[in-house]
Every structure is written in structure tokens, then in C-alpha cells.
Amino acid sequence: MSAAADMHEVPEVPTTRASGRWRRAFRTPGGIVGLVLMAIVTTLALLSAAGFGPDPAAQDVSEALQGPSGSHWFGTDQFGRDIFARVCSGLANSLRVAVVSVTVAALGGVLLGILAGYYQGILDRAVGVITNVLFAFPSLLLALALAATLRRSWLTVAIAIAVVYLPIFARVARGPVLTLRHAEYVLAATAVGRTRLSTLFVHVLPNILGILVVQVTLSLSWAILTEAALSFLGFGTPPPAASLGGMVYEAQTLTSVAPWMLYAPGAALILAVVGLNLLGDGLRAALDPRGGSK
């Protein structure tokens, strides 16, 4: 090729040896424990969603308030429903709401954040105003208001949570882009004729994916807690669908005679949240360019 052609080659984008960092995320004790916990939670949820095991909505009053046994591993509730089946179904519902809400929030928030950080100007100010307004409300109160306004369903809960977490992703994405927009390889890509939009998605976005992956993991745990809180308050997934927060609410008045009704959904909720947080901590330690060996 000619010297003129060589001058138009875009310098190689710095890499962070991602494969090594991903492997290191699952070598830390916390990362391993988080991965195991999430494997258990996800397996139970998928089995329930696929229809394996007892029907979580099936009632048998003759077996109401039975303790844990071989036929009912976690016991039964006041309607004779199998609590193990309802816990698995509740996990499936919580993960469904969390995944949908965080996906919507991540796509919308990251897009707004990187565009605002890269282009600056009016767009940046507009995104700043939107995020500041949303941050002005307590997250649970805002989600509660949205869930109460819309028709009650699991999708309504997911939309409410997505609106709450969208500004978080916008802020997380905008900060690194403000720095990367002045990086040498970004300036070089622009100088040789690449459009700003192409440079943004080809050279800038891949270098903040590590931060975004960690934020997604942590946001999933927050979304599960928010969904449980909304269900506890009566604004979550409507019956007869099982919800961990709803199960905890139902167990309040029966704790003295059937404590397993409270322990089972509470333990499942803790396992899911702790697993996601440990997994997020492992990913954060592995993907942090300032820490660890590369």
C-alpha cells in the first residue's frame, strides 16, 4: 500500500486483555460463591418457568400449614400450596422483572449517557436535567408511584423499575466517555475521516463495557429487591402469580404457627441478592484497569 494509504489507517484501539480479566473474575472467592449461588437460583427459576415440579397455584386445603416434609420440602401455606414450588416460581418472576427492567434501563441510559458525554452541548444539558429530576425522587417512591399509576402486571413493575434505574446508567456511561473522547486513538480516528458516531460506537463504547457489565450485575440485585418491595406493598405482580415479596407479606400474620412460610421466600431473596452482589464485586475487581495483574 502507498504511504498515503498508511496515513489513513486508524491506530489500534487499546485493549484490556478482557479474556484474562473475565477468567480472574471467577477465581476470587466472592466471584466463585456468587457464580454458584446464581447458578442455583437461575436453575430453580428456569425449571419452574418450564413447568417442572408441582403447580405453584394448586390448592389443597386438607394439607394447609403443613411443615417441611418429603412431599413438601418447604412446607405448605394457608391454602395448602406447595411453598417450594411457589419460591421457585417467585424467583422466576423476580428474575424476569429484573432482566427486562435492567435491559431497558441499560439500553436507554447508556445511549443517552454516551451521546451526552461525547457530543456535549444542548444534548448534555438536557440529559443532565432529566437525570437530576429523576434522582430528586427516592427510587422506591418513584417506582411505587409509577406502578400505582399503570395497570398492575409484571410488565408494569418492570417498566417502573426501568425508569428508576435509567438515570443511573446514563451517569455511569457519561463519566468515562468525557475522558475517552480526548484519548489519542479517538482523536486519530476522527482525524482520518471516521464520523463521530462511528468513532463513538466503534472506539469509545467497547472501552467502557467493563464498567457497564458491573453496573448491570449490581442493578439486577437492586431490581430484585425493588420488585420484592413493590409486591410486599401490594403493587407488584398480581396474584395468583407467586412473588417473593408477596409471600413475605402473606406470612406476617402466620409466622408464629408456620414460620417456614417466611423463612423460605426470605432465604431465596437473600440468596439471589447476595449472589448477584458477590458476582458484581468479582467482576468489578477483575475489570478494574487499576487493580490486579493484566
Side-chain angles (χ1 to χ4, degrees):
M1 297 177 63
S2 65
D6 291 336
M7 292 176 60
H8 286 77
E9 292 181 358
V10 179
E12 182 181 356
V13 179
T15 61
T16 57
R17 299 181 184 178
S19 59
R21 291 184 181 276
W22 282 107
R23 287 194 298 269
R24 190 163 66 252
F26 303 117
R27 290 177 182 172
T28 61
I32 294 173
V33 173
L35 186 63
V36 171
L37 290 179
M38 286 314 301
I40 295 172
V41 168
T42 304
T43 299
L44 293 176
L46 290 176
L47 288 175
S48 176
F52 290 95
D55 182 0
Q59 301 183 17
D60 185 355
V61 181
S62 64
E63 298 210 3
L65 299 179
Q66 297 294 313
S69 63
S71 56
H72 301 288
W73 293 354
F74 291 172
T76 61
D77 64 7
Q78 70 272 35
F79 300 110
R81 297 175 297 190
D82 187 89
I83 293 180
F84 176 74
R86 289 184 62 76
V87 165
C88 294
S89 180
L91 285 172
N93 177 67
S94 294
L95 290 179
R96 175 177 60 179
V97 170
V99 169
V100 171
S101 61
V102 172
T103 298
V104 173
L107 291 176
V110 170
L111 181 61
L112 288 176
I114 61 175
L115 290 175
Y118 192 71
Y119 285 98
Q120 299 278 281
I122 296 177
L123 178 61
D124 189 29
R125 290 192 292 272
V127 171
V129 169
I130 294 172
T131 56
N132 288 335
V133 169
L134 292 176
F135 275 129
F137 298 91
S139 58
L140 182 57
L141 181 60
L142 179 58
L144 183 61
L146 292 171
T149 302
L150 303 173
R151 182 175 178 272
R152 190 178 174 190
S153 68
W154 74 266
L155 186 58
T156 296
V157 177
I159 293 173
I161 296 174
V163 172
V164 170
Y165 292 137
L166 187 145
I168 298 176
F169 280 97
R171 287 279 180 89
V172 169
R174 177 182 176 274
V177 171
L178 288 174
T179 301
L180 289 175
R181 67 193 296 265
H182 298 298
E184 292 183 0
Y185 63 89
V186 174
L187 297 175
T190 304
V192 299
R194 281 192 182 273
T195 64
R196 298 181 70 184
L197 197 61
S198 173
T199 302
L200 176 62
F201 284 97
V202 175
H203 297 294
V204 176
L205 182 58
N207 281 276
I208 66 171
L209 285 180
I211 299 172
L212 298 178
V213 167
V214 174
Q215 184 60 45
V216 165
T217 306
L218 298 178
S219 294
L220 285 171
S221 67
W222 301 339
I224 289 175
L225 281 176
T226 304
E227 187 276 332
L230 291 175
S231 295
F232 182 85
L233 295 172
F235 293 95
T237 304
S243 171
L244 297 178
M247 293 177 67
V248 171
Y249 176 80
E250 292 176 355
Q252 287 183 107
T253 57
L254 297 170
T255 303
S256 59
V257 295
W260 55 85
M261 286 182 59
L262 177 64
Y263 298 157
L269 191 60
I270 291 172
L271 285 179
V273 173
V274 170
L276 282 168
N277 276 292
L278 289 176
L279 192 58
D281 287 341
L283 290 171
R284 179 166 49 193
L287 296 173
D288 185 357
R290 296 169 295 180
S293 59
K294 296 181 180 181

